Amino acid sequence: MQNKPIYLFILFAAAAFLFISTASARENEQVTGIKFADQSNINAEHWNTVDHSKFDALKKKFTAGHDITKACLSCHTEVKKQFMHAIHWTWLSPTGGGLTGKAGYSINNFCISTNKMHDTECNNCHIGWDKKNDGINCLKCHGQSQMDWHQEFKDLKEFQDTGETELVDEIESDIQKNVLKIGLPQRRNCGECHFNGGGGEGVKHGDLDASLIMPKKSLDVHMGIDGANFTCTRCHTTKNHLIAGRVYSTPATSARISLVQDDLAPKISCESCHTDQPHAQGSKPNDHTDRVACQTCHIPTFARAHATQMWWDWSSAGKLKKQRKYQQKDEYHRYSYKSIKGDFKWEKNVVPEYYWYNGSIKALTAKDIIDPSKQPVAMSWPVGSRDDKNARIFPFKVHRGKQPYDMENNTFLTPLLCIENNGYWKTLDWIDSCKRGMQIMGLPFSGKIGFVETSYVFPTTHMVAPRENALTCVQCHNRTHSRLAALTGFYMPGRDRSDLLDFSGWGIALAALAGILLHMLGRIFITAKKEED
């Protein structure tokens, strides 16, 4: 038995190797959620059956945008009928009765209102050739060139009017060449509007900005060009030009169906591809999926590449320097003040705020009465509670600001802003711009303007970090700096304390310690007794 220590060491090493190998095998055995996600993406690559450059309808000179649309519709005969009912065209909620939506009475605390689409600046994002006019601009979503079509056709008309034929021929040739660059919508197509919503890049959403055009996997594991390289429509699936993902009257994630259950289900929720048991079998995180959204742990911060706007104070607008409008920038090279818009605050690597959320958002409209004595006034808020079986703890960007309201009617005001219509950005006259804006909306205006602090929520669901950067348990389950400190009404281990539980726990621990000490003393006494005998 002289070599007993060596044998024991070899046995221990073998056991350790087997344990590590088994653990590693279980880890590499492909976590359930990743396995299902890979399965759902086996045929992710799209294949084509058409070469648009061979269509005679596109082999001609185009002098106006609607001529291109006419050429598109000559083959895609049902598009116009489908698209005229899509929210991207109507800017109205399909179930809101004309009340909610950008073309209705919806308002916010960044660009405030489109004044029922009478604000021409807001209409830059509308999918029409001339903003909301002149028919559907198919190339807004399907064009793969970065041509500014509005400017090209404007230049073409000017040169035609002045008789500069050489420049006319050059522009017509350039237009015809770029018309042929047609394909499925890419991130740049969607981002042209959605990355720049609310008046500029990163103003509206914290998880959508130009950094997602060509992101690395470290910024978003799904869209990363060195990762899955998803386009937006990979998850925002589309049927008859109706795109999945709305969070107001049509909840984005209320139907938590995986493709395992229904392979025709929209891929709009994490469960669609990863199922509701995404982690390794038997792991603790799987016990959280019925109460905690995947995004809560897997999007630890947003605005990780570009800064996002977190505050907009309209009440400070109107200041002049040397009788002229001015603007200034901050450390992120974003505007911190504009005479026409007021003060802004921008942030990067923002920690989300967390709320119970069942996939729906409620919001105020310009018709709703507010109570300005209770500030900030919530302009939108997530629907859900701990008692709602469909609700999960979910991360949000909360945009805060200060904006005009009618002090007599206690309603939000919708000033006409755009320069083209002699709005506030040109005149700096609150009374006149509010009067004309409310008149367009068909709403009363007392002439008495005040400013009230507000909040507006945005669900955070993009910029999913690699799993090694996901939150750890202690970031929520701790007493002093829990991310979920603001969510109350339930007991969370590690975050909350109960005198009864603490007393019981310490009692059990002390009893166990006493038992160990008594056992140890007993062994010492018995050993000493044996040696004495």
Side-chain angles (χ1 to χ4, degrees), residues 87 130 180 217 354 361 434 443 454 473 513 524:
I87 195 169
D130 180 17
L180 300 177
K217 183 180 177 181
Y354 301 92
I361 300 284
C434 286
L443 297 173
T454 57
C473 304
L513 180 61
I524 293 172

Side-chain angles (χ1 to χ4, degrees), residues 125-256:
C125 267
H126 193 264
I127 307 179
W129 280 105
D130 180 17
K131 300 185 178 181
K132 67 175 181 176
N133 303 312
D134 214 16
I136 303 165
N137 179 356
C138 304
L139 300 182
K140 192 96 166 180
C141 297
H142 294 282
Q144 301 307 302
S145 79
Q146 295 182 45
M147 175 174 277
D148 184 340
W149 298 99
H150 181 74
Q151 188 62 47
E152 288 293 319
F153 283 119
K154 183 180 177 183
D155 291 344
L156 178 63
K157 187 176 186 311
E158 288 179 1
F159 291 133
Q160 284 174 332
D161 292 343
T162 56
E164 299 184 52
T165 55
E166 187 176 336
L167 288 173
V168 167
D169 290 343
E170 183 181 326
I171 293 175
E172 284 179 341
S173 174
D174 204 25
I175 288 173
Q176 203 275 327
K177 195 188 310 177
N178 281 279
V179 164
L180 300 177
K181 297 177 182 178
I182 296 171
L184 292 170
Q186 302 299 306
R187 291 187 295 270
R188 187 183 296 276
N189 294 103
C190 303
E192 185 180 340
C193 290
H194 290 283
F195 296 164
N196 299 291
E201 190 208 356
V203 169
K204 189 173 178 180
H205 300 282
D207 60 337
L208 287 173
D209 58 42
S211 65
L212 292 178
I213 293 174
M214 294 288 283
K216 292 290 188 181
K217 183 180 177 181
S218 57
L219 179 62
D220 190 291
V221 295
H222 298 115
M223 290 188 270
I225 56 175
D226 54 343
N229 199 22
F230 283 178
T231 59
C232 303
T233 53
R234 188 72 190 127
C235 294
H236 293 274
T237 48
T238 306
K239 183 177 180 181
N240 295 334
H241 284 90
L242 301 176
I243 301 172
R246 186 148 174 78
V247 298
Y248 292 87
S249 55
T250 309
T253 56
S254 59
R256 300 177 185 277

Side-chain angles (χ1 to χ4, degrees), residues 263-294:
D263 64 354
L264 296 179
K267 292 189 286 290
I268 193 56
S269 70
C270 301
E271 292 96 321
S272 300
C273 294
H274 296 284
T275 77
D276 61 352
Q277 295 290 297
H279 300 277
Q281 189 174 0
S283 65
K284 190 62 181 173
N286 278 340
D287 296 338
H288 287 63
T289 58
D290 63 332
R291 298 277 77 185
V292 181
C294 304

Side-chain angles (χ1 to χ4, degrees), residues 247-248 353-363 378-385 388 391-398 455-460 487:
V247 298
Y248 292 87
E353 297 182 38
Y354 301 92
Y355 299 93
W356 290 102
Y357 177 53
N358 67 12
S360 291
I361 300 284
K362 290 289 186 183
M379 300 191 75
S380 72
W381 59 95
V383 178
S385 68
D388 183 344
R392 311 274 192 286
I393 295 171
F394 204 95
F396 287 84
K397 170 187 170 177
V398 183
S455 63
Y456 199 98
V457 300
F458 298 98
T460 300
L487 288 179

